[in-house]
Amino acid sequence: MSDSVNASARPALAGEQLSDAERIVALEAEVVALRQAQTRLNRALEAAEIGIWELEIDPDRAWRSSQHDKVFGYPELLDEWSFDRFLSHVIEEDRAFVRESFKSRVEAGLPWDFQCRIRRADGQIRWIAAEGAPTLDGDGKVLRLHGVVADITRAKEADQRLASAQRMEALGQMAGSLAHDFSNIIGIIRLSAEVAGLAKDPEDVRARLNAILEAADRGSALTARTLAFARQEPGLSQATRLRELVDNLVQLPASRAGEVIDYVVDIDPQVCVECDPGQLENALFNLVLNARDAFARSGTGSRITISTAPGPREGMVEIVVRDDGPGMSDDVLERAADPFFTTKRDAGGTGLGLSSVAAFAAAAGGALILSSRPGEGTVARFSLPEAHAQRRPATQDDAPPAAEPVDLRILVVEDEEKLGEALDIALSGMGHRVRVVSDGPAALAALGTETFDVLLTDILLANGPNGFEVASAARERQLGIPVIYMSGYADHSHHPDAPAGPFLRKPIGREHLRRALAELAAAHEAELRSRSA
């Protein structure tokens, strides 16, 4: 039958006229061919689990294929669909970005493509990717969008597993170098401590102590870079005021002898980004440290500027770190963010700094962009999502500064004996009364017999309940007691069922303790003001 149809439906030769019957047969053959093509297309799309959709802008309504609705967890095609209904499936963290990207693309009459997470009708969280092309009227206004949508969860998971495997393989290859770097750091600390014990001149003692502090900072930075590079899960995302974080950051790096760095911070105090503040601080610290090291090695450069600019798309903020140092050649620039590539191996470089910044930027939905030329300095750019207005934390200008807390009764839970002793000395030196215990059971016993103003607890404890469980029990025994957490593991910085409180990443300095206690005092004063209002 198909042969007869094909024969009857032959194309007309030049100048040849088809009869009405022949034209009808030809049209029927075209309809059959279109239906067959449509069937093959539908089967291919279903096999690929790709749904088709067409959305009218006004009124808000959509036509879809059955596979489209299956992507969203509906076994059968629903009677109605709209942009608002689609948006209700997008998880809350991604919803504002999707809404704003849709609005901006429609207003500009441009194609719309995006990736986001959805909650299906059956409750599953999945990743989807969608692309849509606009149909415009005579005035350039978008009448409708038509496109495709697909579930890309398996691809995302595969990418994450591959990236994790690559990170761990690279860390394995670099284990010997890391051990060498840590051995040098520990050697500096040990010998400096021994020499300080023999020194009679106070200036010699102070110099050895400064060497110990600088080595500890190097070890802390190396640990943070290694953890950031090896991390498999995203950190705790929260609204973070960029100016406050940067102002604190530029005061942290200890200057080398004779080194003078001019830091220029050009950031609006109201700019607020959504990210893990610890990871952001680590990323910026790495960029600043790279610039300082370049200054020291070359003898060129003294200014580091940290500023912001509009991001690559709406809802993003670009962070720019610029220096006036020696710059990089093209071949160095090309490999600068590769894991373990470094031009300062002889000075203890590991090559993890820029690669961890690149990983952080990619996790935030952007990329690290480096530009540099010899003699013209280096510029590093990466983008972060802007925090929504309702999630922005209050600035310090919103309330009068809190007085420095004094004479607090502090319970410290730390299973490392020498660290517990050091915390006792540091906090007592600030004018506080301190009791140190080594595990959860001892902490719970102390809370049952004494009253404390603050609980400072390690999260991982060797015996009994962990720090989160101790904090929860403390709140039951002493209602409202403030809690400060500490740990060397960044991924343990939060637990959904535990009382909220500041998190200090080990190793901890005296200034970190002072700042955390000041934050608690400020929060307490704000709570008292709200109660009296």
Side-chain angles (χ1 to χ4, degrees), residues 99-119:
R99 183 191 296 112
E100 291 305 315
S101 68
F102 171 78
K103 179 181 177 183
S104 62
R105 304 304 278 186
V106 168
E107 288 178 350
L110 297 173
W112 182 43
D113 63 274
F114 65 94
Q115 296 180 5
C116 72
R117 292 164 293 176
I118 62 167
R119 187 181 300 277

Side-chain angles (χ1 to χ4, degrees), residues 174-186 218 222 345 348:
M174 198 61 182
S177 179
L178 291 173
H180 175 267
D181 292 335
F182 275 115
S183 294
N184 283 340
I185 291 169
I186 293 170
R218 279 180 56 192
L222 180 57
R345 184 75 64 193

Side-chain angles (χ1 to χ4, degrees), residues 1-11 22 24-33 36:
M1 181 176 179
S2 60
D3 290 340
S4 62
V5 169
N6 289 337
S8 303
R10 63 175 176 81
E22 287 175 327
I24 291 173
V25 170
L27 289 173
E28 288 177 346
E30 289 181 10
V31 170
V32 170
Q36 290 174 342

Side-chain angles (χ1 to χ4, degrees), residues 290-364:
N290 268 12
R292 292 176 62 240
D293 287 345
F295 295 168
R297 293 197 315 273
S298 67
T300 303
S302 63
R303 172 172 292 193
I304 300 174
T305 302
I306 306 176
S307 60
T308 57
R313 60 178 183 268
E314 191 171 355
M316 300 288 284
V317 176
E318 185 175 70
I319 300 171
V320 184
V321 180
R322 184 188 306 270
D323 69 64
D324 62 351
M328 292 183 277
S329 62
D330 290 343
D331 58 333
V332 171
L333 179 63
E334 184 178 356
R335 299 187 59 198
D338 289 352
F340 306 119
F341 173 77
T342 180
T343 59
K344 47 184 178 178
R345 184 75 64 193
D346 58 340
T350 62
L352 287 176
L354 287 179
S355 64
S356 67
V357 179
F360 170 65

Side-chain angles (χ1 to χ4, degrees), residues 465-494:
N466 61 35
F468 292 127
E469 293 166 336
V470 169
S472 297
R475 285 287 176 90
E476 293 178 0
R477 287 165 168 75
Q478 298 184 22
L479 185 64
I481 182 174
V483 181
I484 301 174
Y485 299 103
M486 52 185 177
S487 177
Y489 292 88
D491 289 343
H492 293 163
S493 61
H494 178 67

